[in-house]
Amino acid sequence: MSATGFNVDLRDMQFVLFEQLKVQERLAGFDKYAEFDQELYEATLQEAFRVTREVWWPVNGPGDRQGVSLDDQGNVTTPNGFKEAWDAQAEGGWVGFTAEPEWGGIGLPEPVGMAIGEMFTGSCPALSTYAGLSRGVANLLKVYGPEWIQQACIENLFTGVWGGTMCLTEAGAGSSVGDNRAKATPIEGEDGVYHLEGEKIFITGGDQDLTENIIHLVLARAPGAPNGTKGLSIFVVPKFDFEDGARNGAFVVGVEHKMGLSGSATCVLALGDRKPCRGYILGNEGDGMGIMFHMMNEARIAVGIQGLASAAAAYENALAYAKERVQGVALKDMRNPDAAPVTIVNHPDVRRMLMRMRVSVETMRSMLYGTAMRLVFSEHSADEDVRKMHHNHVELMTPICKAHCTDLGFEVCVTAVQTYGGYGYIQEYPVEQHVRDQKISSIYEGTNGIQAMDLLGRKMRKGSGALFMQWLQESGEQLSQAKESGHFADEIAQLEKAQQSLGAAAMHLGGVGAQGNLEGAMLQATPFMELFGTVILGLHALEQALIAQAALDAGASGSDERFYKGKVLNLKFYVSSFLPKAVALSKSIRSGDESCLDEALFQ
Amino acid sequence: MSATGFNVDLRDMQFVLFEQLKVQERLAGFDKYAEFDQELYEATLQEAFRVTREVWWPVNGPGDRQGVSLDDQGNVTTPNGFKEAWDAQAEGGWVGFTAEPEWGGIGLPEPVGMAIGEMFTGSCPALSTYAGLSRGVANLLKVYGPEWIQQACIENLFTGVWGGTMCLTEAGAGSSVGDNRAKATPIEGEDGVYHLEGEKIFITGGDQDLTENIIHLVLARAPGAPNGTKGLSIFVVPKFDFEDGARNGAFVVGVEHKMGLSGSATCVLALGDRKPCRGYILGNEGDGMGIMFHMMNEARIAVGIQGLASAAAAYENALAYAKERVQGVALKDMRNPDAAPVTIVNHPDVRRMLMRMRVSVETMRSMLYGTAMRLVFSEHSADEDVRKMHHNHVELMTPICKAHCTDLGFEVCVTAVQTYGGYGYIQEYPVEQHVRDQKISSIYEGTNGIQAMDLLGRKMRKGSGALFMQWLQESGEQLSQAKESGHFADEIAQLEKAQQSLGAAAMHLGGVGAQGNLEGAMLQATPFMELFGTVILGLHALEQALIAQAALDAGASGSDERFYKGKVLNLKFYVSSFLPKAVALSKSIRSGDESCLDEALFQ
């Protein structure tokens, strides 16, 4: 461990995967994963850690300082070393790690993929954005691509030979995707081929020097299309055409200078400006938004991973620093000028900061890997009802994974800076970069405000509240079973109270909405999101503590004993230090205050 | 107003100064301020706003991008335009705005000085650091300097001809000042003159090209001095010697590359390395820490102003952006694809963010300006008991002004970025810089953890709790009087409950400490600080709402009516959205949880 290096808590990842989710048992029955066992999973994690520590992390800081550059031909150059790190990733199969082997992937199950994603993203978030988009485009094409496009693209994307982008945003159409104005005009005599015109902004990886080709997925509006999202179609726009390899007319005309994530090229992409831009439609005209949502949902969970990954890396750095840095004497020696100074991990306020970071990271990890497990069952269970049940859960959790993990992850990064004191503010240590890189995650892939509205306005209302009812029932069962364990009675009682206060807030907001007061309800979307996330992470702390307590009861010793004891302590800390906020948020939501809507304000 | 410009809420500043604190009446009786009236104060504020908007703000963004540079002779160059902006400040008297005219100052009272400080700091925090230190050094020398040093330095410092620094930190002695190792050896035959040797780090303005000379205040240890803070002495170390103008041996050997505040030179200062370094002692050997605390207390409130200033500037930017930026349709038109898009200030979640920022900024402003008012009475009241009473209040509030305003101010800056969405993350708009510049404020001048320990371990215990008892009594009286107004009964009841929960937390922690469990008590120092700050700002919201309600009852109309109504809405929002957190924090503190102290953790 080191205060300037890249550290990963493999022990905790393995606890989640093998002791909590039991992937090695519960997924063994699926043909898809039959070849894997725990040993192979562990070796895979070890190797991913090696690559990220030895190859990716060394380019993370320098890449931030150097940033990307753009020449006048629209060519983006990524920071020194990114290409080599990209190639190492590609050669190891780390682009398509969850993809099927027939598409060039390793075929790992999603929860293990989460751990790998956490490592790559944490070691160099800027570089990881390019691969995340390659995966997203490939996964979308697996479902919606005509066969010839699938054959042309998917393996190339999953093996890192090609890159991908998603092109939604325009200058006047960010959160409001339906205001897209890019035009798609059918080319006569070429079925499904269009000329695209318009300008897309904030396009991650709009150009780069890492891959041979780039597959842009572009939302645009065909002639006569209605306004709003219903009029949007989606097009595959290759940088170099599939047939003759000719340069297509999608050119980068600008790159943004950002607060962080400087090695990730955020581009202005002009379509059909310098030369004609050909695009191949997916599905039919008007299907664009529905198809793009396939990628967006996946991307939202991936952004949640970014929240976790930066937080975990920042926490590991802060922990290492706190164990190295000598400063001040122990509290009991405060009045003794000759007392020997101690490492700061001994100071209560530093331990409080470390504990907040630790508990946040470990409960987020549990939630994200757990959601990935449910994703597997939602896709591969034999029973349709079981698939549906897990699908419902994933749908409800998606905005929470995105918003809560990025907000809380940012808080962790900020706390890591604070742990370093003045050294946290300078580039010599990595934590200030974690803060800057991480900030974007609460904004892109739908701002966290949009996620909150998705949760409250869409997911909570779906099927007359069926998703939430299912969650209430499941979490109720979890709490009932926990009570039977005979452990943690106080903590379980507090969690029950918090879960009930979440239910009460949901009921209250349902009532506000039913009275037609949409604004009053939506005003509470973000606090409701935070409340929901706070309760869920508490339940994850409980789930882990129960497993740990059983291991302690069974006589765990040495470093195992310390590990399991840590999980029990996590629960106690979470309940005393995080959970009271849930009750406060519920109270705040139910107060019915709408003062900020008053028109006297913000004139 | 503009989303890229510098805006100041002069109306709110004037409300605090003239309607709430009534400086124009309550300070008129002091000889010192007899020449000022409201008209003059207002003209002064207007002029400060003009200078900061027209001269300082234009160098803020470019200065951040350029940063400072250091040559191999130890000369620091500040960003282009800083020198001109510095000179404009000096010529306008804006360095020593609260200093006595006999020392070259304007002689404004502290609360008005807070408003001016807010504007200069908000318009270019990096540049403002240099002047803040000049003032701090001058104010310290006014009290502790031998007359010849006073004559040599003070006017030069207050008029911007010379600059100042405070040199505490060393690589092994940050928060733990008592571990300072810099050496001071008396020079034979020169009374009070020492040779200094050692290396100081994180020295703001350690060198710069803004002023003719720089006065360093250096902590160092004379031969035979005891360990710890008691062995520290303080020395005046000029860059160029007072007598012959010879270059003294304090040279910058490095500047830090930081997350933000790039235009403020953060220096490594080597003493007596390249050539001998002469220092003039203040007071006696061993007086160093006591004297330096004079400057530190002042600096802590100034850093609180930095929290407010960046937050206020970021809020004004976000508000302007929200009123300009068209995106999405009104909630009621959600299902109408032909509805006209609206400015985002109409969206409930955006209004919620704006309201959080607004209420935070306005209550912090009330607290800081109010504390400055008490500072005036603590120094200039004729009655010693009155002076003492106000002094007690300022002592208790100092760590809260520093820590709560910088933590909350940072949150405001982050929320401003979120309000801009993707544009908030790019350098084209100023809010990402506000976040980066602001982050240091929770660290320097004593980390916020140190402030929390000062509050809980020193200020709360002082005189067997006399400072806190006085505050409880004052706030209790405020609440009683508020009840008599007949307004805001619900809000007052909530505030009373929060004030009581603060008292209960204080009692609880007093008990923990009394049992000798120092670690258990100090573990809660930061939550206690946050709790205290949250309650105090609520009381400020109430104080302002009552004044506003009286103005509404008296028939305020037009923009005044909207302004006063806004203050009433602030109270309602604060009580429903901020105050529940106080109760949660109190509950958390009183839980007695000490899980993070367990030795199983962080091994």
Side-chain angles (χ1 to χ4, degrees), chain A residues 174 323 327 349 425 436 603, chain B residues 174 323 327 425 436 603:
Chain A
K323 289 159 75 170
Q327 185 80 175
D349 194 56
Y425 196 64
R436 290 185 293 102
Q603 285 208 341
Chain B
K323 290 159 74 169
Q327 185 81 174
Y425 196 64
R436 290 184 293 103
Q603 286 211 341

Side-chain angles (χ1 to χ4, degrees), chain B residues 34 82 96 113 149 182 217 233 237 332 423 437 445 495 501 517 570:
Chain B
F82 267 39
I149 286 187
L217 291 179
S233 305
V237 175
K332 65 177 169 49
Y423 290 105
D437 285 350
E445 284 311 315
L495 280 163
S501 77
N517 182 5
N570 279 2

